[in-house]
Amino acid sequence: GQNIDQPTEMTATEGAIVQINCTYQTSGFNGLFWYQQHAGEAPTFLSYNVLDGLEEKGRFSSFLSRSKGYSYLLLKELQMKDSASYLCAVRDEYNFNKFYFGSGTKLNVKP
Amino acid sequence: DTGVSQDPRHKITKRGQNVTFRCDPISEHNRLYWYRQTLGQGPEFLTYFQNEAQLEKSRLLSDRFSAERPKGSFSTLEIQRTEQGDSAMYLCASSFGNSNQPQHFGDGTRLSIL
């Protein structure tokens, strides 16, 4: 089976740094994606990791450790507009077109 | 690039009725996906098309659900004899090319069953 765990909710302060963790136990692995989803809107792509290490994209960075089944999304210089749900998704090893999503982490940014 | 569009945005219907949703992917995208998302959960995979061929169907997709992509462009998802448990957001996504490309999601169709 596929098991992807994320914290349900987090709160952070504007201007701060927050780390959202994702752990996965899947029968196979071929890449991990992070998406941002504002309430009532479509998920939008943030980052992709397939090899171990850190991928940096402006204020957002994502890290992957395949041996630990672990990833995190790091958001720096938080802005109010970053209040959203953050979804971690793992791609199936044998079916590149099948993705398993976590339940998402709702991030509340307060002034 | 106008993005993935879905129609309607909202659908309210009585239990037992049939509903059909439409998805128009980004024009050059050959892959199209349907997901279902309930409140507080991540999207759950329903089915996937490469061009007009439906290559994968989830066990979540009962025989009341059918999806088509007749010309490899837009897709429809039909739910027959709707049940209360079908109430959810139905998301469509598309992608192109190799497996490193992310999926681009539409804003979804929110289905409410009375």
Side-chain angles (χ1 to χ4, degrees):
Chain A
Q2 322 297 339
N3 194 32
I4 300 171
D5 286 319
Q6 303 180 235
T8 304
E9 192 163 357
M10 299 179 71
T11 300
T13 305
E14 192 175 16
I17 299 173
V18 71
Q19 177 175 312
I20 301 174
N21 295 327
C22 171
T23 56
Y24 62 90
Q25 291 171 309
T26 55
S27 52
F29 176 86
N30 200 335
L32 187 144
F33 294 75
W34 283 96
Y35 287 84
Q36 179 191 61
Q37 186 176 28
H38 286 98
E41 296 183 11
T44 54
F45 169 73
L46 291 177
S47 70
Y48 166 66
N49 296 73
V50 67
L51 300 176
D52 290 351
L54 190 68
E55 293 284 337
E56 296 188 77
K57 253 188 182 184
R59 293 191 300 116
F60 293 3
S61 304
S62 57
F63 171 83
L64 175 67
S65 168
R66 288 172 296 170
S67 62
K68 294 181 180 176
Y70 167 68
S71 173
Y72 68 71
L73 181 70
L74 195 71
L75 292 77
K76 302 175 188 174
E77 301 167 15
L78 278 174
Q79 301 174 8
M80 298 299 292
K81 67 178 182 179
D82 297 330
S83 292
S85 284
Y86 291 85
L87 299 164
C88 166
V90 171
R91 181 166 56 205
D92 191 277
E93 181 174 12
Y94 301 106
N95 183 345
F96 285 10
N97 295 291
K98 201 158 186 183
F99 296 80
Y100 304 101
F101 282 81
S103 297
T105 298
K106 185 180 178 187
L107 175 66
N108 303 302
V109 180
K110 58 181 185 179
Chain B
D1 179 0
T2 56
V4 178
S5 64
Q6 293 189 244
D7 183 70
R9 289 295 311 275
H10 304 275
K11 179 71 178 178
I12 301 172
T13 192
K14 292 182 180 178
R15 185 165 52 92
Q17 298 295 304
N18 299 343
V19 294
T20 300
F21 311 140
R22 176 179 170 124
C23 170
D24 286 89
I26 293 171
S27 57
E28 64 268 24
H29 285 187
N30 59 341
R31 300 169 193 227
L32 187 147
Y33 311 80
W34 284 99
Y35 290 87
R36 180 170 65 190
Q37 186 176 26
T38 53
L39 201 61
Q41 300 297 313
E44 294 176 289
F45 171 83
L46 292 179
T47 191
Y48 151 69
F49 290 85
Q50 182 159 320
N51 300 312
E52 66 275 10
Q54 187 174 19
L55 298 185
E56 181 94 21
K57 279 177 70 169
S58 164
R59 284 171 294 173
L60 292 173
L61 221 61
S62 75
D63 57 5
R64 296 185 299 106
F65 287 70
S66 62
E68 294 183 343
R69 194 182 183 198
K71 296 180 181 177
S73 56
F74 74 91
S75 175
T76 57
L77 177 68
E78 181 183 15
I79 309 175
Q80 295 182 326
R81 305 181 304 280
T82 51
E83 301 174 355
Q84 291 281 347
D86 297 332
S87 294
M89 176 75 86
Y90 289 84
L91 292 167
C92 176
S94 69
S95 69
F96 174 76
N98 66 44
S99 54
N100 292 346
Q101 296 302 310
Q103 300 176 2
H104 296 261
F105 283 84
D107 284 336
T109 294
R110 180 167 295 285
L111 175 64
S112 298
I113 307 297
L114 302 177

